Amino acid sequence: MNSRSTSKSLLRSFFSTAVKLVLGMAVLTACGGMDPEGGQGESLDAVTAEGTLAVPSNVQAFYAEGRWVTRFGVTGPYYGPAGHRGLDVAASSGQAIPALRSGIVRRIQYSSIVGHTVAVESAPGDFSGYAHVIRTRVSVGDYVQQGEIIAYAAGHGDDHGSAWTGPHLHMTRGSTDRCAFGENVSDPAPLIRNVLGTGSGGGTGTGGGSGGIQISLEEGKTLQRVAQRGGYTGAVDGVPGVNTWKGVQTVIANRGFYSGPIDGIPGENTWKGVQRLAQLGGYTGPVDGFPGQYTYLGLNNWLAQAPTTPPPSGMSGVYGIDVGTTQRDLDFNAIRSAGYQFAIVKAGGSNVSPLYVAPYYAQQVARARAAGLIVGHYWVAGSTNPAGDAQYFMDHLYDHRPGDLLVLDNEAIDAGIFWNDSMTATFMQAVKSRLGKAPFLYTYSSLLTSNTWTQTKAVGSKLWIAHYTGTPGNPTIGAAFPAWEIHQYTSSGNQNGIPLDLNVAKLSAFTGLSQPPDGATPPPPTAIPGGARAAAILSSPSNRESSCRSWPSGAATQAPWMAFRVSIPGSECRKSFASWGTTTGLPTAIRASTPTRDCNCLPRTVATRGPSMASPGPIRITGSRRT
C-alpha cells in the first residue's frame, strides 16, 4: 500500500468526484448538451467535465497560453522528423508545477534526455506527461487533485532537466504512461484550452484550419486522401482547406460518425468522427477529439482496405506475436481470429534491478491461452548471475505447461549486460535441467553473428532471430547457428492501434511442444504491414536506450559518434544505433560530438539515409528495446 494513499486522500478523491458529477449534470442541463459544432452532444468524460468546473487559480496562471513557448510539432536541429513532441510552458527555476488535471500517478522516471518525469492518468488511456522537473512530490499510485503541486521546474544544472532552452515544463498528452518521452502523443494545446475554458472548438481562417489541432504535412495528406472518398478533387499537398474538410465530413457523415454541418470547419465532433473512422482501420484509442499518431495509422489502414488490395506474400509458416507491457490491452481473440497461432509473453527480467515479474504477465498468459494461442514465456537477460535469473524465472512462471515455449531475450537493454555464450548456456542448462527443455535464444542479427554460441548450441537451444527485413523468412544468421526457427521480421504490426512485433516460425520450432492448430499457413492478411511505409528513419535517442555504452577501443581518436534510434511509421522507435564516419561524410543535420559512453547525452538530431544524401558511414546496430 502506498504510504500516500491514506483514507484522507481517498475521501478527498470521493468528494471531488461527487462534486464534479453534480456540477457536470448542471452544465449539461443548462446547455442542453450541445457540442461546439452544433451536433447532438455526448456525455462528458472525466477530462472534459473537468474543464467545465472552477479551475484552480494556480492552474489558470501556470498554463495560461501567454506562457507557452516551443509548440508541439515545431521542427528544428534538436527534434526528430516528427518535430517537438510536446508543448513547453515557461517557468522559473524551482517554480512549483500544478497538476493540469486530476488523476492517478502511473510512472515516475528519470531520462538523460528529458530529465525527471511524471505521468498522470486522468481517464483510461489518457495520460498527461510532465518533464524537465525536479523534487517530485508524488509517488506511483497516488491520486492527485487538479492544482496539486506535483514537482518543481528544473533549473540549469539540475540533472539535465532544463534541457537546452532554459527552465520550462515540457507538457505532453498521450495514450500510455510513457507519454513524457514522446511516445504516442498528440498536441496538448487543445486539452489545455479545454481545461482552462479558452478553447474555440472550431476552425479558424478561410482555409478551414484544423479545429485547434496541429497536424503535420503527412497527416494532412492522409486527411486529404480520406476526403477524396467524400468527393474532394483538390491537391494532396498536406495542407487541408475548406474543401478537404467538407470531403472528410462527408465521409464520416455517410458512415454515421458525424451529424454536424458539412461546412468545412472542423471542430470536436469532426475530429471524433475521424477517430471513429480510424477504428475501422484498427484504432482503439480514446474517441476524444484529440488525434494522435495511431489515429492516422488507423486512417491509413482503412484507406488501404480497398477490394483490389492483393494478399500479402511471404513464406508459409506459423505466424505469431510477442507481447510486453505496452500491449496490456491487446485483444488476443482478435489476434487468433486474424490467423496468428502463438503469443510469446514477457515474464520479467534482470535488465533492471532488482529482478522483476512483468506487470501484465499473468493476465496476458491467461488471455492468450483462452483465445486458443500457443503460449510462450520470455525472460530478459541482464544481470551478472544467469543461474540466479534462471531460478527466479522458473519460480515465477505463470500457468506454465509442458508444451509452452520458453525464451531467453539476450540483447543488453536498459541497465542489463549482454550475456556471452557461457552465461547464456548457464541459464539454458539450468532451465533444461529442471523443466526438461532448453529455452530458445532470442537476439538480433548483429549480436548473433558477432559472437560464437558453441555451449548454447550444445545445450540444445533453438534460435529466435530478430532481423527486421519486413519480409518473413529471410533473416541473416551467418554461420553462428545452424538454422533459425523463429524470425521476428517487423515491429510495425498493429492491432487496434497497439504496436506489435510479428514473427514467423518453422513447424520444426514446435517439435516436442504444443502443435500449431492450423499447421503452416500463408501469411495472415495483416502479417506484412506498411509496405514501403516501413522504411527506417534515423531519429533521436529514446529515453531508455542505453545499450551503446560499450564503445570500441580507440574511440576517442575516431570520428565523432552519434546515437540514434530507428523510427518506423506505425510503431514505437525501439532500435538504437550508433554511426561513425568522417565529418565531411555526415549530413549537416547531424551535429558533431565527442565520443561518450552515454547514448543519450547528445542534443536531439535527425538524419535520413537514402541515395540522395551523403552517407554518414557504416551503421552498426548496438542495441534494441523490447518493452
Side-chain angles (χ1 to χ4, degrees):
M1 177 69 70
N2 192 296
S3 61
R4 293 178 57 90
S5 298
T6 62
S7 58
K8 180 179 178 181
S9 65
L10 291 174
L11 181 61
R12 178 181 63 181
S13 172
F14 173 80
F15 178 75
S16 171
T17 302
V19 169
K20 289 178 182 179
L21 287 173
V22 172
L23 292 179
M25 291 175 64
V27 169
L28 283 173
T29 302
C31 298
M34 296 300 292
D35 68 281
E37 292 189 309
Q40 201 60 32
E42 300 175 10
S43 60
L44 295 177
D45 59 18
V47 176
T48 307
E50 189 166 61
T52 69
L53 303 180
V55 179
S57 59
N58 63 341
V59 173
Q60 295 180 18
F62 186 86
Y63 294 98
E65 192 157 351
R67 296 170 58 92
W68 299 359
V69 281
T70 307
R71 298 291 298 274
F72 183 89
V74 170
T75 59
Y78 300 122
Y79 310 125
H84 187 231
R85 305 309 292 160
L87 186 153
D88 291 347
V89 180
S92 58
S93 178
Q95 183 172 355
I97 297 173
L100 176 68
R101 302 182 287 172
S102 301
I104 299 174
V105 178
R106 296 300 191 190
R107 178 184 288 268
I108 296 174
Q109 183 175 331
Y110 173 76
S111 157
S112 59
I113 294 297
V114 293
H116 294 281
T117 67
V118 178
V120 177
E121 187 175 28
S122 297
D126 187 0
F127 294 81
S128 296
Y130 305 81
H132 301 328
V133 304
I134 57 173
R135 302 202 307 274
T136 302
R137 295 183 56 177
V138 294
S139 301
V140 172
D142 286 358
Y143 179 86
V144 297
Q145 289 279 17
Q146 184 185 41
E148 181 176 342
I149 303 305
I150 58 174
Y152 299 87
H156 290 294
D158 287 329
D159 291 339
H160 189 81
S162 60
W164 306 284
T165 57
H168 64 267
L169 170 67
H170 178 79
M171 185 77 193
T172 63
R173 188 194 191 190
S175 61
T176 75
D177 62 1
R178 296 183 61 79
C179 62
F181 308 121
E183 296 189 10
N184 195 16
V185 295
S186 59
D187 187 357
L191 168 66
I192 299 175
R193 292 192 184 108
N194 277 357
V195 170
L196 300 184
T198 58
S200 63
T204 58
T206 57
S210 58
I213 304 295
Q214 189 166 356
I215 60 176
S216 69
L217 285 176
E218 286 304 312
E219 291 165 349
K221 290 178 181 178
T222 296
L223 291 168
Q224 288 171 322
R225 286 191 289 269
V226 171
Q228 289 175 334
R229 305 285 180 95
Y232 173 67
T233 58
V236 179
D237 57 5
V239 185
V242 170
N243 288 337
T244 293
W245 284 112
K246 285 183 177 179
V248 170
Q249 289 170 330
T250 298
V251 171
I252 58 180
N254 290 340
R255 292 275 179 170
F257 299 150
Y258 172 70
S259 58
I262 309 298
D263 58 3
I265 302 176
E268 181 180 352
N269 270 12
T270 296
W271 281 114
K272 286 182 177 180
V274 168
Q275 288 177 310
R276 290 192 177 97
L277 184 67
Q279 289 177 331
L280 301 181
Y283 172 68
T284 57
V287 177
D288 56 2
F290 300 103
Q293 63 175 322
Y294 289 122
T295 294
Y296 293 99
L297 177 62
L299 292 175
N300 282 316
N301 287 341
W302 175 75
L303 288 166
Q305 292 171 2
T308 57
T309 301
S313 60
M315 68 170 284
S316 290
V318 183
Y319 285 81
I321 64 171
D322 56 280
V323 297
T325 54
T326 57
Q327 289 91 14
R328 67 174 182 179
D329 298 321
L330 190 68
D331 184 346
F332 287 95
N333 288 311
I335 292 294
R336 181 68 187 98
S337 297
Y340 298 93
Q341 301 189 66
F342 65 87
I344 304 177
V345 181
K346 181 179 180 179
S350 63
N351 50 306
V352 296
S353 182
L355 306 185
Y356 66 94
V357 174
Y360 309 116
Y361 167 53
Q363 59 182 268
Q364 287 175 327
V365 167
R367 288 161 51 206
R369 203 181 297 282
L373 294 160
I374 296 174
V375 170
H377 315 254
Y378 76 84
W379 177 261
V380 183
S383 79
T384 58
N385 182 12
D389 274 31
Q391 296 306 315
Y392 188 95
F393 171 53
M394 292 184 287
D395 289 344
H396 292 84
L397 284 170
Y398 175 78
D399 190 24
H400 170 254
R401 303 182 186 183
D404 290 355
L405 291 84
L406 300 175
V407 178
L408 173 67
D409 178 349
N410 187 15
E411 49 179 327
I413 59 176
D414 300 316
I417 65 171
F418 177 73
W419 285 359
N420 61 20
D421 182 34
S422 176
M423 298 177 74
T424 301
T426 297
F427 180 95
M428 302 301 197
Q429 185 60 61
V431 174
K432 182 179 181 180
S433 297
R434 180 167 160 182
L435 299 181
K437 55 188 175 185
F440 284 72
L441 168 63
Y442 170 94
T443 191
Y444 51 90
S445 185
S446 62
L447 276 179
L448 178 80
T449 56
S450 60
N451 291 273
T452 57
W453 303 98
T454 305
Q455 298 177 58
T456 301
K457 290 185 289 186
V459 176
S461 293
K462 296 179 179 180
L463 177 63
W464 176 12
I465 185 69
H467 186 191
Y468 289 176
T469 62
T471 302
N474 63 344
T476 297
I477 65 171
F481 248 76
W484 61 270
E485 295 293 335
I486 306 176
H487 176 204
Q488 185 183 86
Y489 59 89
T490 182
S491 65
S492 58
N494 180 277
Q495 194 273 323
N496 285 352
I498 300 173
L500 289 172
D501 296 332
L502 300 181
N503 306 270
V504 63
K506 299 175 182 177
L507 276 175
S508 55
F510 300 92
T511 301
L513 302 174
S514 296
Q515 293 301 296
D518 303 332
T521 69
T526 60
I528 307 178
R533 293 188 299 106
I537 302 168
L538 293 180
S539 72
S540 59
S542 74
N543 58 296
R544 293 177 62 195
E545 289 165 346
S546 56
S547 52
C548 52
R549 57 186 174 277
S550 299
W551 304 107
S553 59
T557 61
Q558 296 184 13
W561 285 76
M562 291 84 196
F564 302 98
R565 65 181 180 182
V566 162
S567 171
I568 300 176
S571 72
E572 301 303 334
C573 306
R574 294 186 295 174
K575 297 291 171 274
S576 302
F577 287 78
S579 70
W580 63 97
T582 63
T583 302
T584 57
L586 294 173
T588 56
I590 301 181
R591 297 184 170 227
S593 172
T594 54
T596 175
R597 291 180 176 272
D598 181 1
C599 293
N600 300 324
C601 70
L602 303 177
R604 301 183 188 184
T605 57
V606 56
T608 56
R609 296 293 299 277
S612 62
M613 297 191 63
S615 170
I619 299 293
R620 183 185 68 174
I621 298 177
T622 58
S624 68
R625 175 165 58 83
R626 301 174 69 239
T627 49

